Every structure is written in structure tokens, then in C-alpha cells.
Amino acid sequence: MRKKIVIQGINYDSNSSFMRGPAKAPDIIRQAFYSDSINAYTELGINVTQSEQLEFKDPIKPTDFYSDIFQSVDNIISDGKSLITLGGDHSISYPIIAAHAEHFDNINILQIDAHSDLYEDFEGNLHSHASPFARIMENKLAARLIQVGIRCLTPHQLEQSVKYGVEVVEMKDFHESKLPDLDGPLYISLDLDGLDPAFAPGVSHHEPGGLTTREVLSIIHNIDVPVIGADIVEYNPIRDHVGITAAVAAKFLKEIAGKMIKN
Ligand code: MN
Ligand code: MN
């Protein structure tokens, strides 16, 4: 039996280190997703918006960061559904993946990001959006963490990636044909600043020299293992121009949902 895919926003950006904005993202991505300017088909031929498998839920606004997010995700998965989350800053991936780890063994995480987000803490905040993958790895919530698009490793973050056995594909070495093989169940964590700011200006941290929209689409299209869940994070509407980054986020949402329906 095919499972429903819930799409839920998390209106939260209090763990951002530089600027606010991503808390306002989910509704804007949803509007772009349903815009009359695009049709309902993914590039692989799946009609997503007419699929009865998609269920948009109203965004949540956590007051207790960890437990509110964990509980909400756990309820959805316990219901036999899978989840794509619209962020929010990247800190939310820790409680989201923690809830997935209650239901799935040996999770592989594919993180697309300019930053490795492996800081032990950032300015004293253990839940900073610069630290979710340190929490995930120290709590052994994933069998593998594969990071793609990274282009500003500090010596500390490099140390952390060695300590936790993270497979880092730095942007300077990126080539689509050289990505590590995935062996699911796969969780996709897509930080929009992994893209070059030319393609996605609507993020808090502009880090030039990143992935193209097409490269990210190809990575998604070439996934041949079951995708158990995903998040699309760090969209900052305050920084966007004419909704271009919202359209990119909505496109990724459509293609990832199509993948989840198909695989
Ligand atoms: Mn980032
Ligand atoms: Mn990130």
C-alpha cells in the first residue's frame, strides 16, 4: 500500500546565527508550489499536485524547540505517513531526524549545503543552525552522513567530520559522477545555500561558487534508493528577489515528492 506524504512547514528561525527570516518561508514556498505559473508534473513524469498521496498540513510554530518538533514528526510517522518538512532554519533537522531514527535503522543522510553544520556549538548554542549534524552524529542517529556542496570548512569542522566519519564532498571537488553510492533508507536535508547565490539569492548566508539548480535536480533524479523523508531549509524570503528562490524551493519540493511517490 502506498503511503501518504505529509508536507509540513516549521515556522522557526530562532537558532539562526546571522539573520532572521526563514520562519516566514513555509507559506511562501507553498504558494509557489501551487502557483498557476507551473504545471503539476515532475520532470520524471509524476503528477504530484493531483496525487492523493500529498497532504499539506498547516505549519507548526514550536515553543519548545526540540520536543515540539520531535513530537509532531513522530506523530506523522507513527501514522504510517512520510514527511517533507519546509523550514525554518537548519537547526530543525536534528529533532526531525531524531524522530525518523525511532522508526528507521541505518539511515543514510544526504545533506546538500554550503556549510557542514558540524560545529560542536556556535557561540554557546548547542542547537544552532551551525550544529545540527554534530548532534545527529554524536547521538548516532544516522549510519552515514554524506555532505555535498561544502565550501567553507574550518579546521574545527574538518576535525568534526573526521571524528564522526562524515563523507564530505567539497564543492571544489564536486563532480556528479563522483558522488558516493547511497544505500538507503535515505533522508534528504536540502539547505538552499548549497546552491550558488546566483540561483538562490533568498538565503541568509551567501556563499558564492555553489551548485546549480540543474546539478541539484540531477542528484535528486539519480537517487535509486527509498527516500524516507526530506527537509528543505534556510529559505529566507527577506533576501529573495521576485520569488526566484521560492520557485527553486517549490521545484525541489515537487521533484523530491515525485521521487518519494515513485521509489
Ligand atoms: Mn548552509
Ligand atoms: Mn545548513
Side-chain angles (χ1 to χ4, degrees):
M1 208 185 77
R2 288 179 149 196
K3 289 201 299 184
K4 275 219 186 248
I5 300 165
V6 171
I7 298 167
Q8 179 159 60
I10 299 186
N11 295 348
Y12 190 85
D13 58 13
S14 302
N15 284 320
S16 300
S17 58
F18 181 59
M19 54 167 53
R20 299 287 188 256
K24 295 186 172 69
D27 286 335
I28 300 170
I29 298 172
R30 182 177 178 166
Q31 281 164 23
F33 184 79
Y34 283 113
S35 167
D36 290 336
S37 78
I38 57 171
N39 74 42
Y41 285 85
T42 71
E43 294 189 4
L44 301 183
I46 310 278
N47 185 331
V48 180
T49 47
Q50 277 179 16
S51 166
E52 285 172 8
Q53 281 175 261
L54 278 204
E55 177 187 338
F56 265 91
K57 276 202 165 146
D58 287 336
I60 60 166
K61 197 173 187 299
T63 44
D64 185 307
F65 165 72
Y66 186 89
S67 60
D68 286 357
I69 296 173
F70 180 94
Q71 240 356 292
S72 158
V73 176
D74 188 59
N75 289 345
I76 289 164
I77 304 174
S78 298
D79 238 9
K81 299 170 178 172
S82 35
L83 172 68
I84 302 174
T85 303
L86 305 178
D89 70 47
H90 214 163
S91 67
I92 62 173
S93 297
Y94 168 40
I96 293 170
I97 290 172
H100 280 81
E102 296 284 320
H103 299 267
F104 298 95
D105 292 327
N106 299 313
I107 295 175
N108 285 205
I109 301 170
L110 172 64
Q111 176 193 355
I112 294 172
D113 205 325
H115 316 91
S116 71
D117 297 347
L118 283 167
Y119 280 97
E120 173 58 25
D121 66 89
F122 196 80
E123 293 171 349
N125 181 7
L126 288 164
H127 287 146
S128 168
H129 72 158
S131 301
F133 293 94
R135 299 291 82 76
I136 286 163
M137 297 313 279
E138 81 186 358
N139 287 292
K140 301 185 167 46
L141 302 177
R144 290 172 69 199
L145 172 59
I146 297 120
Q147 301 181 321
V148 179
I150 310 299
R151 51 192 185 277
C152 37
L153 280 176
T154 62
H156 168 66
Q157 295 209 86
L158 199 55
E159 248 171 55
Q160 292 280 87
S161 62
V162 173
K163 175 176 169 188
Y164 293 122
V166 180
E167 298 161 67
V168 185
V169 180
E170 287 189 67
M171 196 64 223
K172 66 181 171 61
D173 306 320
F174 173 79
H175 195 281
E176 255 177 79
S177 63
K178 287 196 298 188
L179 291 181
D181 281 334
L182 302 165
D183 52 3
L186 183 69
Y187 183 92
I188 302 169
S189 189
L190 207 178
D191 181 332
L192 291 165
D193 67 32
L195 292 173
D196 193 278
F199 296 89
V203 296
S204 301
H205 301 261
H206 287 163
E207 192 63 47
L211 294 157
T212 66
T213 306
R214 176 50 51 192
E215 284 167 339
V216 174
L217 289 169
S218 294
I219 293 169
I220 295 167
H221 289 157
N222 288 328
I223 290 169
D224 58 2
V225 294
V227 179
I228 56 163
D231 58 62
I232 300 170
V233 295
E234 293 287 343
Y235 172 49
N236 188 338
I238 297 163
R239 304 267 272 176
D240 207 3
H241 302 293
V242 296
I244 184 72
T245 313
V248 170
K251 172 114 181 168
F252 291 157
L253 169 60
K254 185 163 79 163
E255 297 297 324
I256 291 171
K259 243 318 152 177
M260 288 170 76
I261 290 169
K262 205 172 180 182
N263 287 19

